[in-house]
Amino acid sequence: MEEIRSLLTAYVTEDEPPIGLSGEKVLAAARLSRRRHLLTGAAALAVVVLALSLAVVVLPHRSGVATAPCPAASDTRAALVDRLSCVVGRAVRSLLPPDAQITRLTIPGEVPPADPFHLIADPAGDAPRDALFHMGVRVTDARGSGSVYVVMVPSRNSGGPPCKEPGEIVCRTEPTPQGLLWLSTLRSGDILTHRVALATPDAVVQFRSNDSGALEQAGVPLPKQRPEPTLTLEEVRELALTPGLSF
């Protein structure tokens, strides 16, 4: 908890925007917090490799996706999670092949939720919005397995993140009515990642997609499992601009 609290405090108080969300530090802090909550004593110290859950959910055809409005409440953290999860899940599903399968990416000991897109909210304060909201799913279709991740965090900083990261192939910024959009494609070893972040005055919403269905781990190379990332850069851009992803 303290790792996440410190990380988020830095993001919302420093002059620079919270661009580290795209890296591994925030996710590593979140996973470390959840490991310490789920695993105790020597078991916690022994866990050095994160694993995939094998709870597979087969997506229905797009026409079968529910059309009822997502929940509107945000007065509690649980209600906010339900609303954001619904919006994220429908947005991602709309971009996937009708026969795609989804596997929730979880840490050992964690029970996958019935909805693979149900967000984790690692608290960083008392208000419903004061948390690190995140989740990752493995998507398997006829071309192989890849992943889609989302990270959302409240932030008062509306600046745009810089380019020139290691392994960067493409990087550009784009002003939108919602805020500054940052689009990038990066290569790390054999893995290609499309990543888009939207920096609004009160939050940063970031989606990314790669060509590996394995869970991202700091310092552990990912196996390439499909010819290209699950989603194109334009599709990841579309996700970042999804209406309703507000706190």
Side-chain angles (χ1 to χ4, degrees):
M1 182 70 67
E2 289 304 318
E3 291 91 345
I4 299 170
R5 185 184 301 274
S6 299
L7 211 49
L8 293 180
T9 298
Y11 282 142
V12 300
T13 57
E14 296 294 330
D15 292 334
E16 294 299 326
I19 60 172
L21 293 175
S22 58
E24 296 171 335
K25 291 191 295 184
V26 175
L27 290 176
R31 292 175 186 136
L32 178 60
S33 175
R34 293 185 66 75
R35 274 204 306 276
R36 288 177 175 172
H37 177 71
L38 294 170
L39 307 174
T40 59
L45 296 176
V47 175
V48 294
V49 178
L50 300 179
L52 294 175
S53 164
L54 297 180
V56 175
V57 177
V58 179
L59 287 177
H61 193 278
R62 293 179 189 178
S63 61
V65 177
T67 56
C70 288
S74 299
D75 53 333
T76 66
R77 184 166 292 148
L80 180 58
V81 166
D82 286 344
R83 176 173 68 79
L84 293 174
S85 300
C86 178
V87 174
V88 169
R90 291 190 182 181
V92 175
R93 285 185 174 105
S94 71
L95 299 173
L96 298 177
D99 60 345
Q101 294 180 327
I102 291 182
T103 303
R104 177 61 176 252
L105 299 175
T106 63
I107 63 176
E110 187 175 21
V111 178
D115 176 8
F117 292 100
H118 192 76
L119 292 168
I120 296 169
D122 290 305
D126 296 329
R129 71 189 301 273
D130 292 341
L132 170 69
F133 299 86
H134 61 99
M135 70 86 196
V137 293
R138 177 185 184 187
V139 178
T140 302
D141 58 27
R143 296 182 64 80
S145 295
S147 299
V148 178
Y149 292 87
V150 60
V151 180
M152 294 184 282
V153 65
S155 170
R156 295 185 299 272
N157 194 312
S158 60
C163 294
K164 299 183 180 178
E165 290 189 65
E168 183 178 278
I169 299 173
V170 172
C171 184
R172 70 179 190 271
T173 57
E174 175 187 336
T176 72
Q178 296 96 317
L180 185 63
L181 203 64
W182 173 46
L183 306 93
S184 62
T185 297
L186 304 100
R187 182 176 295 280
S188 177
D190 294 332
I191 300 303
L192 195 68
T193 300
H194 297 312
R195 187 174 60 192
V196 179
L198 175 66
T200 72
D202 64 351
V204 172
V205 175
Q206 182 179 264
F207 285 88
R208 68 185 186 277
S209 180
N210 64 30
D211 46 11
S212 176
L215 183 65
E216 292 182 356
Q217 305 172 63
V220 179
L222 292 174
K224 185 179 179 67
Q225 297 177 328
R226 57 178 293 129
E228 69 289 306
T230 297
L231 301 177
T232 66
L233 183 60
E234 184 59 32
E235 288 172 330
V236 180
R237 176 186 181 278
E238 183 178 336
L239 289 179
L241 293 174
T242 299
L245 294 180
S246 61
F247 294 95

